[in-house]
Amino acid sequence: MKRRTVLWMGLGTIGALAVGVGSMPVRQRLTGGADTLDRASGFAPNAWVSINPDKSITLFMPRAEMGQGTHTGLAMLLAEELACSLADVRIEPAPIARVYSNIAAVAGSAATQPAQPNFVERATQHFMAKFAREFGFMVTGGSSSIADLFVVLREAGAMARETLRSAAARHWNVPLEECVARAAQIVHTSGKVIDYGDIVALGPELLEPVHEYTLKKPEAWTLIGTPAKRLESRDKVTGRALFAADIHEPGMLYAEFSMSPFFDGEVEVYDEDAARAVPGVVEVLKIAAGGGAPAAVAVLAEQRWRAQRAVGALNAQWVAGAAGPFEQQDLDDKLLAGLRDDAPVATYHDVGEVDAVIKNSSTVLRADYEVPFLAHAAMEPLCCAVKFDKDRATVWAGVQIPDVARKAAALALGLEPEQVTLNAMLMGGAFGRRLDADFVSLAAAVARAVPGRLVQALWRREDDMRHDFYRPAVRARYTGVLELGPGLLVALNAHSASPSVIAQAVPRQLGLPGNPSKADVEGAVDQGYEIANHRVQHAHVELPVPLGFWRSVGHSQHAFFQESFIDETAATARIDPLEFRLRHLRGQPRHRAVLELAASKSDWKQPPGVARDGKPVARGIALHESFGSLVAAVAEVSQGEAGEPRVHRVVVAIDCGTAINPNLIRQQVESSVIFGLSAALYGRIAIKEGQVVQGNFDSYPVLRLGETPVIDTWIVPSTLPPGGVGEPALPPVAPAVASALAVLTGERHRRLPLVGA
């Protein structure tokens, strides 16, 4: 852990270290964890795959499946090079080992990127790749799973394929070039055939791993790029898929909680006797705040409904901690103060002479924007099952960082991490919420009181909503100069203010120092628009609200700010919003292509017509780059009787590099649009007397089926390495809808949510 702290000691230090190790290659990622695969029942030529005598093929999976289809996409990479079908591959969770670290998530994070010249930035990325390989985490996040393992899993499959081919050639005593791998078999030119499983059954003496292999060229791919069906779908629809809430055994106990309504509150009084009087109650525990979890009073009972009754009988009374019963207005005032000219700011991008151009121009545009705190609101509430046996423990939980979750459980149980077995479960959504292990810590703390008995802790929706780690509330002030002749934005100053996710989440999740970073302005500092004078600055504002990584993180707010301002500037110049964007992307062919595809498929140049009720429809367009992918969205919007926006159709064009599985891409684009619309229209977490107001979907609405628009997804063909897919389609949704509303109403909507803000 001490060696990891170098990551967060300061970007300048990292840059210096990066230069020093620039000539050292990142260590290979195929072996180094194979010795931990004691569970492998067959032949494991590397840390990723086992070929089994029963003819099945096991992929040791280090990434979480939370509905995004990652397991299917990654299995396709392995199967492509291993020359087997997707149906031949079964998924087994990988053990916790360094070889499975997610290099792309760490090295590619905005939090680790310095605002420095290109050489230092490239050197830093190389250093971070080395760092992540040696000391990183098995994290699922940042839309990085496919990008991180695109080469690794193909190499793992190719290595296994060539090892089996060589073994078959030795078994038949024939030249290697006469043997071909096809359909999980080795085929000889004479017509002889042997299954992979049968080769393994011949014995280990034939199975010497081959370390020289060639990856298939894209034109030879037969699986990558096809719309393959998801591996886990059948189990999900038939009920065989297991989530943490499905873990049961005779004699188990159910934990229910009365949690502090304050972020840092303490229990003042509770009626333990009344709770114990409920039949079936086994234990009542006072749990101190820890591991990111709030203080709570827990009840353990033999049936869940009895535990719920007992929690009601506690009648717990709570008092606020050091932060006190603060109000939403207090938070809003601090954010607004961060936009003042005299507010201390960090500058992350600065080219040209921004101040001089603004001072000497008569066409200066200014706009303030605002977005609220947001909850993750995953469909599956938090759940964790723990069985503690004094010197050992087993944990069942859906988590995004297994090693962090295991350490959290071990700490709560008084064990070493190696004494805890973590069974990674499927998740019904997460969106960054399960990067935190607070629910694991709380379940483990309760299980410690009842050794030998399985404890299942399932949070209520209200607990999940009121004790989330939220997307930060952010204010932004955009100042630009429009040169009317050429119709160009020649200067732009983007000034935002918010608390920092990195500064909170890194210490809480990893136990390392965390500071405000470039991640606070991701989505503003990394876009493709060509603006001669451009500055991005940010004011760090401390607020007593817990923050976490929310789907698309900083891009979700900065896309709304920047794309809304671009649209406003186009309107001032009286230039079509599509044309205005294209004028600022003359040297960006990928950006232009994605914009033009979305415009073409939405019939941008044709009048949008009217809705079924006769109300006029308007279109809005937005473009955003995130997680290695480019997305353009066109929203078709009308207004209801009360003036509320009604979104009828969203056309999305995405350039995500090589498309591994078009089905998965379309599913995730649709998911992102629905998630993004929920936030844009309704999403808001508010504070009253130090407590979160919203508790369930009655006060924190999400998009209903009847409100969901037609979503058309178009994928730009590409041979570039794959980018992210799970998050990039979300950021442009809100600005596209807001811009369409502006066309309808003549008024700019600079504050989210668009309904009831």
Side-chain angles (χ1 to χ4, degrees):
M1 295 295 289
K2 290 181 180 178
R3 297 181 71 180
R4 288 180 183 171
T5 60
V6 70
L7 170 60
W8 312 106
M9 287 173 60
L11 294 177
T13 302
I14 290 176
L17 286 170
V19 174
V21 300
S23 61
M24 299 170 60
V26 178
R27 195 150 61 90
Q28 56 78 31
R29 301 178 66 188
L30 290 184
T31 59
D35 55 335
T36 68
L37 296 178
D38 298 331
R39 68 189 78 183
S41 59
F43 169 61
N46 53 59
W48 300 90
V49 61
S50 173
I51 315 297
N52 308 309
D54 65 1
K55 302 183 182 180
S56 66
I57 297 167
T58 300
L59 168 58
F60 295 100
M61 178 60 68
R63 305 291 177 257
E65 178 59 70
M66 44 191 160
Q68 79 277 40
T70 287
H71 286 187
T72 302
L74 294 177
M76 290 174 70
L77 300 177
L78 179 78
E80 180 67 71
E81 290 292 344
L82 191 46
C84 66
S85 74
L86 191 57
D88 292 326
V89 180
R90 68 187 187 193
I91 303 296
E92 184 174 327
I96 295 173
R98 289 180 299 173
V99 73
Y100 302 117
S101 295
N102 189 330
I103 290 178
V106 176
S109 170
T112 65
Q113 303 308 310
Q116 294 179 351
N118 288 337
F119 170 74
V120 175
E121 187 163 342
R122 288 195 301 269
T124 301
Q125 288 175 336
H126 180 80
F127 172 78
M128 292 312 304
K130 286 181 60 61
F131 178 91
R133 170 62 177 86
E134 298 301 327
F135 308 107
F137 306 94
M138 291 170 56
V139 60
T140 304
S143 295
S144 61
S145 293
I146 295 290
D148 182 60
L149 298 177
F150 177 60
V151 174
V152 177
L153 284 179
R154 289 160 58 218
E155 289 182 337
M159 179 184 184
R161 179 195 71 221
E162 291 306 299
T163 298
L164 293 166
R165 198 163 70 95
S166 297
R170 287 195 293 272
H171 173 61
W172 287 328
N173 195 25
V174 297
L176 178 63
E177 57 269 19
E178 295 179 0
C179 299
V180 177
R182 184 170 58 238
Q185 297 175 325
I186 302 299
V187 181
H188 186 248
T189 53
S190 67
K192 291 187 293 187
V193 175
I194 185 169
D195 292 326
Y196 287 173
D198 292 335
I199 297 174
V200 172
L202 292 173
E205 60 276 1
L206 287 174
L207 296 167
E208 182 178 346
V210 171
H211 297 284
E212 294 185 6
Y213 44 81
T214 301
L215 298 181
K216 294 166 66 174
K217 295 183 178 179
E219 55 266 27
W221 289 343
T222 58
L223 187 55
I224 293 176
T226 65
K229 295 181 179 179
R230 290 172 62 147
L231 292 175
E232 84 281 11
S233 292
R234 182 176 295 275
D235 285 350
K236 284 181 176 177
V237 299
T238 58
R240 287 197 297 266
L242 292 180
F243 297 80
D246 296 314
I247 302 302
H248 297 90
E249 69 175 35
M252 69 178 291
L253 298 174
Y254 297 87
E256 291 285 327
F257 304 98
S258 173
M259 295 186 185
S260 166
F262 305 101
F263 297 129
D264 61 347
E266 295 291 340
V267 66
E268 187 174 41
V269 64
Y270 62 98
D271 194 338
E272 181 174 347
D273 292 339
R276 289 186 180 275
V278 176
V281 170
V282 173
E283 190 61 85
V284 177
L285 303 166
K286 179 182 175 182
I287 308 294
V297 180
V299 173
L300 289 168
E302 294 169 346
Q303 292 87 25
R304 189 181 305 283
W305 67 274
R306 292 187 185 277
Q308 291 170 342
R309 280 185 58 197
V311 165
L314 284 169
N315 194 26
Q317 305 297 313
W318 301 85
V319 293
F326 57 91
E327 299 291 342
Q328 182 68 44
Q329 189 61 52
D330 300 329
L331 308 179
D332 294 341
D333 290 345
K334 290 181 178 180
L335 288 171
L336 189 58
L339 294 185
R340 292 199 309 250
D341 291 340
D342 60 349
V345 296
T347 299
Y348 292 100
H349 180 73
D350 195 0
V351 297
E353 300 292 336
V354 175
D355 290 334
V357 175
I358 292 175
K359 181 179 179 180
N360 296 321
S361 174
S362 60
T363 316
V364 178
L365 308 176
R366 290 185 175 88
D368 284 9
Y369 300 95
E370 177 183 351
V371 297
F373 294 104
L374 291 177
H376 293 85
M379 290 297 100
E380 179 199 12
L382 298 171
C383 185
C384 178
V386 181
K387 189 170 186 178
F388 173 56
D389 290 314
K390 294 187 178 180
D391 62 348
R392 298 289 308 170
T394 304
V395 176
W396 293 263
V399 296
Q400 292 179 251
I401 318 180
D403 38 354
V404 168
R406 184 177 69 165
K407 289 174 184 175
L411 182 63
L413 293 166
L415 299 175
E416 294 298 321
E418 293 73 22
Q419 295 174 283
V420 177
T421 298
L422 176 69
N423 294 312
M425 311 300 292
L426 292 172
M427 288 175 269
F431 314 117
R433 176 61 179 92
R434 287 173 169 85
L435 289 166
D436 275 282
D438 55 320
F439 65 107
V440 175
S441 294
L442 189 56
V446 173
R448 187 174 185 176
V450 285
R453 301 188 75 171
L454 175 68
V455 174
Q456 187 192 91
L458 175 65
W459 288 32
R460 298 182 307 139
R461 173 65 60 189
E462 288 78 7
D463 294 333
D464 194 355
M465 188 77 71
R466 290 174 176 148
H467 291 287
D468 201 345
F469 298 98
Y470 304 97
R471 202 259 334 244
V474 188
R475 292 288 187 96
R477 177 166 294 160
Y478 272 58
T479 306
V481 173
L482 174 64
E483 194 169 301
L484 290 172
L488 290 175
L489 184 62
V490 296
L492 176 63
N493 187 75
H495 177 177
S496 54
S498 74
S500 172
V501 175
I502 292 292
Q504 285 197 26
V506 169
R508 183 180 67 241
Q509 294 172 359
L510 308 180
L512 306 177
N515 298 294
S517 73
K518 191 176 179 180
D520 296 329
V521 291
E522 62 181 355
V525 75
D526 47 11
Q527 299 306 295
Y529 291 116
E530 297 157 355
I531 302 171
N533 305 278
H534 187 197
R535 182 168 60 212
V536 177
Q537 53 190 16
H538 183 79
H540 175 68
V541 180
E542 289 283 356
L543 297 179
V545 178
L547 305 179
F549 297 100
W550 192 86
R551 191 174 188 176
S552 78
V553 207
H555 294 280
S556 67
Q557 62 258 17
H558 288 289
F560 174 65
F561 305 150
Q562 179 159 298
E563 285 301 288
S564 294
F565 190 76
I566 291 288
D567 225 73
E568 293 195 42
T569 309
T572 301
R574 297 185 179 182
I575 299 173
D576 176 82
L578 169 64
E579 170 60 25
F580 189 77
R581 286 172 170 82
L582 292 173
R583 291 185 184 188
H584 295 81
L585 296 167
R586 297 191 187 280
Q588 304 288 347
R590 288 186 71 196
H591 296 71
R592 295 177 64 89
V594 101
L595 261 176
E596 290 169 342
L597 180 60
S600 170
K601 297 303 181 181
S602 65
D603 297 321
W604 178 262
K605 295 183 178 181
Q606 302 301 318
V610 297
R612 291 183 179 180
D613 60 0
K615 296 290 182 67
V617 172
R619 294 192 184 103
I621 192 168
L623 169 73
H624 197 72
E625 178 179 359
S626 61
F627 307 100
S629 296
L630 295 162
V631 176
V634 176
E636 296 182 353
V637 182
S638 72
Q639 288 184 289
E641 293 298 330
E644 74 280 7
R646 297 187 304 175
V647 184
H648 301 280
R649 182 183 181 218
V650 178
V651 178
V652 176
I654 179 170
D655 180 350
C656 57
T658 298
I660 306 302
N661 185 327
N663 270 355
L664 298 180
I665 295 170
R666 292 189 178 94
Q667 289 167 12
Q668 283 307 291
V669 166
E670 292 169 4
S671 167
S672 295
V673 169
I674 293 169
F675 201 87
L677 280 176
S678 297
L681 296 177
Y682 308 120
R684 181 172 183 258
I685 289 293
I687 308 297
K688 183 177 181 180
E689 296 180 354
Q691 303 175 38
V692 172
V693 174
Q694 291 74 17
N696 211 316
F697 292 124
D698 58 340
S699 54
Y700 192 87
V702 295
L703 206 66
R704 303 301 178 98
L705 185 61
E707 302 172 283
T708 303
V710 173
I711 302 170
D712 294 333
T713 302
W714 300 90
I715 303 169
V716 177
S718 176
T719 57
L720 293 173
V725 171
E727 298 171 274
L730 187 152
V733 171
V737 174
S739 295
L741 272 179
V743 174
L744 288 172
T745 66
E747 297 179 2
R748 286 289 161 181
H749 298 266
R750 298 171 176 167
R751 183 184 184 189
L752 296 181
L754 297 170
V755 177

